[in-house]
Amino acid sequence: MSFTPLRSKARNLYSWFATRPDLFESERSPRKTAGWAIVAGIMAVVALLVYLNPTATAEILGGRVRAGLAIAGAFALPPIIIVVSVVMIFVGARRWRVKGGGVLQNPVIHGFSARFPVDQAVAALLRGSIDSAGVIAALSAMQKDAGDERLLTIWSSDADRAMYIGVLRVDGNTQWIDSEPVRVEPANYFDAKKHDLAATLGKTSVADV
């Protein structure tokens, strides 16, 4: 079955996760939700102080004539930030997990040029734990490539030994997922973060990290 390219405004696989409800489910991240709620609360307090004390606010900022733009910002920015924070609570705080399983993390994302032999690198990553040195070599080669026309992103859930590798094509401010992300077999699952660190440090084994 052919794969229809997906357009994304983010450097992740969220748009693909959304097409596979049989494999993934979304939820609001408690940490991100709390973070944006705190920002909204702080801005609400700031807005209250500004609106209840307009004269004092103007004087603190240097007077209405000398600090017109600063005063405008003091009165306008808090409610704007509150609205943005509320929107982010419902939109930006989303995360994905394996359906019925653990949360998906994104330990590795690298940019590379269109000429980089990405198929060979992905093949090495798919061998995973049975060729740990090959995984490190592939990640090391990608790190040394000075390009930003493509992105390789790895998403994994340690609890489920689930790992998905995607390649995104950079097109201006948007990314395209031209081919369906591939899954590393559970038996070949590896610690992507440690292997990537080993590649960064010039090591040949995660035992040396």
Side-chain angles (χ1 to χ4, degrees):
M1 184 173 65
S2 62
F3 178 77
T4 302
L6 299 172
R7 184 180 184 184
S8 173
K9 293 182 179 180
R11 296 158 57 94
N12 55 49
L13 296 181
Y14 280 14
S15 58
W16 178 66
F17 293 154
T19 68
R20 298 301 306 269
D22 56 318
L23 297 176
F24 313 107
E25 55 190 0
S26 66
E27 64 181 17
R28 281 213 308 273
S29 166
R31 180 176 59 83
K32 291 181 180 179
T33 299
W36 285 111
I38 290 172
V39 172
I42 292 173
M43 287 302 102
V45 172
V46 171
L48 187 63
L49 292 175
V50 168
Y51 295 142
L52 290 179
N53 303 279
T55 302
T57 300
E59 290 302 321
I60 290 173
L61 295 175
R64 294 184 181 278
V65 176
R66 293 177 55 195
L69 291 177
I71 293 171
F75 281 86
L77 281 180
I80 292 175
I81 295 176
I82 291 172
V83 171
V84 171
S85 299
V86 171
V87 171
M88 291 301 292
I89 286 174
F90 293 97
V91 178
R94 184 172 63 160
R95 68 181 182 185
W96 288 84
R97 65 168 62 243
V98 175
K99 191 168 186 177
V103 174
L104 287 160
Q105 305 290 336
N106 183 202
V108 175
I109 180 168
H110 289 305
F112 56 94
S113 64
R115 65 180 180 277
F116 182 81
V118 66
D119 290 342
Q120 296 177 26
V122 171
L125 295 175
L126 288 174
R127 291 193 293 273
S129 58
I130 65 174
D131 184 15
S132 182
V135 170
I136 295 173
L139 291 172
S140 178
M142 186 168 291
Q143 291 176 16
K144 293 175 182 177
D145 184 271
D148 58 2
E149 300 164 299
R150 302 286 187 275
L151 293 171
L152 179 132
T153 180
I154 298 177
W155 289 78
S156 60
S157 168
D158 291 341
D160 307 281
R161 296 184 66 80
M163 178 176 289
Y164 296 88
I165 302 169
V167 175
L168 287 70
R169 172 170 53 90
V170 179
D171 182 16
N173 294 325
T174 61
Q175 281 68 241
W176 285 90
I177 305 174
D178 291 327
S179 57
E180 188 160 19
V182 291
R183 180 173 183 260
V184 176
E185 291 297 326
N188 299 347
Y189 184 85
F190 62 95
D191 189 323
K193 188 174 183 179
K194 281 189 176 181
H195 281 72
D196 193 53
L197 179 58
T200 301
L201 298 175
K203 307 296 184 180
T204 58
S205 170
V206 293
D208 299 326
V209 175

